[in-house]
Amino acid sequence: MMSGRKYNAPIIALLLLSFRVFAFVSDSSCHRRRTYTSLHLFENEVVTTTPMQLLSTEKRNEIETLVRQRSEARWDGDYERADELRDVIDQICVTISLNQLQSAIDLENDLEYKIVTTDLPRSQGGGSTWELQPINNPLFNNANSEDNVLQLAHAALGMVVSTSERGVDVNEEDLDRLVSRIEARLQTLQQRKAMGTFFPGTAAAGELHGRKAADAAFWLSLAGVNARDNFIYDELAQVAGEELLRFGSNKSCRAKDVLHIVERFAMAGVTGSSVHQLYNVAADCLEVKMMNNTSDSVDDSDDDSIDYNNIIKSLRGDVTFGLHSDRSLLGLWRFSTRQRKQRVFFENAAKHFDGRYGKEETTLHSINDDKSDKYEWSKLFKDPTRPLVVDVGSGMGVSLLGLATAASEATHEEEIQIDWNECNFIGVDLSRLGIRFVRGVSKRWELDNLKFVVDPAEECIERLSSYPGPIKLAMIQFPTPYRYTEDREDIEASVAQGYNAQLPEDSESGCFMVTEKLLHLIQEVLSRKEDGKLLVQSNCEDVAVRMKNIAENRAGFKSVEFTNSVTSLDAVTQRAQRWVANGGDRAIGKSFSSLPLLPMVGRTETEVACSLDGKPVHRCLFVPRD
């Protein structure tokens, strides 16, 4: 009896997690794809009956009798008779008809099993046990041994990287073939799981263990894969949830490991019931680790700012954890700014695709240079007369993704008062990979008022003059800064050592995106439209000051003055310290806002990284001069 017994908090949490196992498996089946029919979906058809349960009483008695007779012969030392009986047992083939399973799983052949006996030593009482072992396994026989979900996802990303580097558009038919193979592979893995009681050892065998499902989802999202009916992303989220149920409460799994899994799905922009179930399981795992509170289970040595309690609360919320959560945006920022590591990763993905798939399957497509088709507003938007918000140099597009889904929430300042629900949005960038990522997410989120184009910034702005509706806001957010150096020798030494080699050489070389011409073009477009404003943000003080000076002195803008302006500023970065030491103008005064000017969901990954790291963001707002 258990009455009167006291249980400590970790045990209670483990009991709750055990309950979650049942809830995740049973509840997730209620939210599956109901219109996707090109695959045999059967996650609701997990076979719980075992082969032993389907044996007839007559066959079971026959086998039991033979095994018992053999055990007796061995006990009596009559090994010749025991060997004869073993030969008889070895000849038995048990056939189970698929009709007995009453399952929707599509297998062509009946299932065949042999009898495997295990002899017990005399110290354990002697005798023998027996079990059924499959002879034929159609799940393995029908599988393509070359296909692996993680490798295929890596190849899909490699295809996009490879074609982008060659200046061509990816062949969508080739990409679709890879995606179809991923879908088929996930179907095979689901079949193995569903038939696990009939075919021991047919699970994923490590293919999607740990955070591999999360990595696959993120790589596919980077490649812009807009999987049909979200089948792939839902399946990967379910696999990740099952993996957390398997190992998430183990001591060997750190809290940070759990966090990395859910962050990857959030960074991929995955939504829906499967990923919310994953978040709930992750919250349970984190709660267990917080209650145990051991150094092994909670290892945040790399980031001591992790507030797991708030993360658990957000994971349990309906919509609070996702792409625009702090941790997810920080993850995107880290991924996009680790230039050397990212470059090696992309190079390996491209080599993987080119070496294994590209030479045989890929057809190169030329860039579409038809600007008139690219900016045919009536085809881009359902209602091209709605106000337009433009993000120049949109990067991975998370700011516009947030604004396009934002409610009409108030901002800190009255200077930007926009009903985001009534707007169209367009982002422009030269990064094909960034544009593919955000296009894929926006399609999965069904945002028909949000579009992205691959184009030079100046060419895009020139085309905005033909937009039928008003242009309410143009944004230049955290443009890639030029190298801050005092002289040519400093530049050459910096590049030779690999520092900032990916940055534009200097502010006047023409490689820095924000030129006088660009700002002048934006001014011309906004001046022809009503109430248009330009928002400029940078995390580099000298870059912000330079953009402000060009906008005011040479591009026909005037600054908006803020009540909550910047009155003092610490030079917390090495670049800012050098700027101040050389007598550079400070980003201080009424022209610089001390508070964010966009809703929280409109923050970029760079802005979130600065906020979490205690670094300033320099913000200015401009209107065309009268």
Side-chain angles (χ1 to χ4, degrees):
M1 296 182 64
M2 295 189 298
S3 59
R5 182 175 297 177
K6 296 181 181 180
Y7 296 93
N8 59 28
I11 292 179
I12 295 174
L14 283 170
L15 290 172
L16 291 173
L17 182 56
S18 299
F19 174 77
R20 183 76 68 185
V21 173
F22 172 77
F24 182 82
V25 173
S26 61
D27 193 40
S28 63
S29 64
C30 300
H31 303 279
R32 312 310 300 157
R33 297 141 303 284
R34 308 201 187 281
T35 60
Y36 190 77
T37 57
S38 63
L39 294 178
H40 294 284
L41 299 179
F42 46 76
E43 50 268 38
N44 298 337
E45 301 291 341
V46 175
V47 178
T48 56
T49 305
T50 67
M52 297 286 283
Q53 292 173 324
L54 294 180
L55 277 180
S56 65
T57 302
E58 180 182 358
K59 178 61 73 172
R60 182 188 291 270
N61 289 339
E62 175 190 346
I63 297 171
E64 291 276 8
T65 299
L66 289 170
V67 172
R68 186 180 66 255
Q69 291 175 351
R70 180 176 176 274
S71 297
E72 292 172 351
R74 290 183 67 252
W75 185 270
D76 295 336
D78 189 354
Y79 296 108
E80 183 177 350
R81 173 60 176 165
D83 289 343
E84 291 175 356
L85 289 169
R86 184 190 61 191
D87 291 340
V88 173
I89 294 172
D90 288 345
Q91 295 301 316
I92 296 176
C93 178
V94 176
T95 300
I96 296 179
S97 171
L98 294 180
N99 293 332
Q100 294 176 263
L101 299 181
Q102 297 181 344
S103 169
I105 299 174
D106 185 14
L107 298 175
E108 296 179 359
N109 302 317
D110 288 340
L111 312 179
E112 296 180 346
Y113 293 83
K114 63 181 180 180
I115 310 301
V116 176
T117 59
T118 302
D119 297 326
L120 302 177
R122 290 177 181 266
S123 60
Q124 296 182 15
S128 300
T129 62
W130 65 278
E131 62 182 348
L132 296 176
Q133 187 176 93
I135 298 174
N136 64 327
N137 190 333
L139 298 181
F140 276 133
N141 295 339
N142 294 339
N144 185 343
S145 59
E146 294 185 356
D147 281 349
N148 175 290
V149 172
L150 193 64
Q151 291 179 2
L152 288 170
H154 197 241
L157 178 58
M159 174 187 288
V160 174
V161 173
S162 178
T163 54
S164 297
E165 288 180 346
R166 284 177 274 177
V168 295
D169 293 329
V170 67
N171 188 322
E172 297 295 341
E173 293 180 358
D174 291 337
L175 184 60
D176 282 344
R177 279 197 288 270
L178 277 180
V179 172
S180 295
R181 289 167 66 174
I182 295 173
E183 291 171 340
R185 183 61 177 173
L186 285 171
Q187 180 190 17
T188 298
L189 297 181
Q190 281 285 9
Q191 284 181 323
R192 293 182 182 181
K193 182 181 70 174
M195 296 293 291
T197 57
F198 276 78
F199 299 111
T202 59
E207 182 172 331
L208 290 175
H209 280 186
R211 73 174 220 183
K212 291 179 180 178
D215 286 338
F218 182 53
W219 295 351
L220 290 171
S221 184
L222 283 176
V225 171
N226 179 31
R228 291 180 284 272
D229 202 29
N230 286 331
F231 170 74
I232 290 178
Y233 294 106
D234 285 350
E235 291 303 312
L236 290 173
Q238 184 169 342
V239 169
E242 292 165 355
E243 276 297 287
L244 281 183
L245 291 172
R246 180 184 67 84
F247 78 97
S249 59
N250 297 344
K251 288 185 178 181
S252 60
C253 177
R254 301 168 300 174
K256 191 162 52 178
D257 298 327
V258 177
L259 190 55
H260 285 167
I261 290 176
V262 292
E263 283 176 356
R264 287 263 161 159
F265 277 96
M267 289 160 60
V270 180
T271 58
S273 58
S274 292
V275 80
H276 284 308
Q277 288 286 348
L278 167 64
Y279 292 163
N280 278 317
V281 173
D284 288 340
C285 293
L286 291 175
E287 276 190 344
V288 170
K289 296 181 185 306
M290 295 305 103
M291 291 176 180
N292 289 333
N293 197 24
T294 63
S295 58
D296 291 335
S297 61
V298 186
D299 179 8
D300 56 2
S301 57
D302 293 338
D303 189 349
D304 56 7
S305 64
I306 300 178
D307 186 346
Y308 284 107
N309 289 325
N310 280 337
I311 290 173
I312 290 171
K313 291 179 182 179
S314 65
L315 286 169
R316 295 208 185 284
D318 292 332
V319 294
T320 53
F321 192 86
L323 175 59
H324 291 93
S325 300
D326 285 356
R327 293 291 309 177
S328 308
L329 291 177
L330 181 62
L332 278 179
W333 176 82
R334 286 173 171 167
F335 178 82
S336 61
T337 56
R338 289 174 178 173
Q339 295 291 332
R340 295 182 185 178
K341 186 174 181 179
Q342 183 200 73
R343 186 163 55 249
V344 171
F345 171 76
F346 284 149
E347 287 174 355
N348 289 337
K351 289 177 182 177
H352 179 199
F353 169 75
D354 287 334
R356 185 167 182 179
Y357 304 95
K359 294 180 181 178
E360 298 179 358
E361 299 184 8
T362 306
T363 304
L364 300 184
H365 285 185
S366 299
I367 297 175
N368 180 11
D369 291 325
D370 186 355
K371 297 293 190 299
S372 61
D373 181 68
K374 186 182 296 187
Y375 295 98
E376 191 167 344
W377 303 111
S378 59
K379 291 183 178 180
L380 282 177
F381 301 110
K382 287 184 178 180
D383 182 3
T385 64
R386 298 172 72 176
L388 183 67
V389 176
V390 186
D391 194 357
V392 183
S394 55
M396 302 193 77
V398 295
S399 179
L400 285 187
L401 277 172
L403 294 176
T405 56
S408 299
E409 60 178 275
T411 56
H412 290 290
E413 293 287 349
E414 297 180 355
E415 283 73 14
I416 297 182
Q417 289 297 317
I418 295 177
D419 188 349
W420 308 106
N421 291 324
E422 297 299 320
C423 291
N424 290 326
F425 303 86
I426 188 168
V428 58
D429 203 283
L430 285 175
S431 170
R432 290 180 172 273
L433 189 62
I435 294 298
R436 281 196 65 85
F437 166 78
V438 69
R439 279 177 176 171
V441 175
S442 64
K443 287 180 181 178
R444 283 186 274 127
W445 290 8
E446 299 180 347
L447 300 176
D448 55 13
N449 63 334
L450 174 59
K451 305 297 178 182
F452 291 88
V453 294
V454 178
D455 240 355
E458 294 173 359
E459 294 187 21
C460 175
I461 298 302
E462 288 176 340
R463 303 296 302 187
L464 292 182
S465 59
S466 64
Y467 183 74
I471 300 176
K472 297 294 290 184
L473 183 66
M475 303 185 297
I476 300 177
Q477 303 190 79
F478 307 96
T480 301
Y482 44 83
R483 300 179 205 138
Y484 182 80
T485 48
E486 281 79 30
D487 50 42
R488 172 58 54 180
E489 291 183 0
D490 197 4
I491 291 176
E492 293 175 352
S494 174
V495 174
Q497 297 178 53
Y499 301 137
N500 298 327
Q502 79 282 358
L503 300 181
E505 186 171 307
D506 57 59
S507 59
E508 302 296 339
S509 64
C511 296
F512 180 54
M513 183 187 74
V514 186
T515 62
E516 179 181 343
K517 179 181 178 182
L518 174 65
L519 293 176
H520 186 69
L521 288 171
I522 295 175
Q523 191 273 346
E524 287 183 343
V525 169
L526 293 179
S527 63
R528 288 198 294 265
K529 305 291 183 176
E530 55 185 70
D531 300 327
K533 294 181 175 67
L534 169 64
L535 171 64
V536 172
Q537 301 192 92
S538 178
N539 56 330
C540 298
E541 186 174 8
D542 59 296
V543 174
V545 170
R546 180 179 182 277
M547 292 190 294
K548 173 181 178 295
N549 290 339
I550 295 177
E552 289 182 331
N553 300 329
R554 289 146 51 184
F557 281 104
K558 65 178 180 180
S559 298
V560 173
E561 295 186 349
F562 299 99
T563 303
N564 296 307
S565 60
V566 178
T567 57
S568 63
L569 189 63
D570 293 329
V572 297
T573 66
Q574 187 179 42
R575 178 172 180 142
Q577 291 167 2
R578 295 176 67 184
W579 171 254
V580 173
N582 289 326
D585 294 336
R586 304 305 309 277
I588 295 174
K590 292 185 177 181
S591 297
F592 290 93
S593 175
S594 62
L595 297 176
L597 299 175
L598 295 176
M600 288 286 287
V601 293
R603 299 172 301 167
T604 70
E605 64 273 24
T606 304
E607 184 173 359
V608 169
C610 290
S611 175
L612 295 177
D613 202 26
K615 295 178 180 177
V617 171
H618 314 287
R619 309 175 181 89
C620 293
L621 190 65
F622 304 97
V623 295
R625 292 188 184 277
D626 297 333

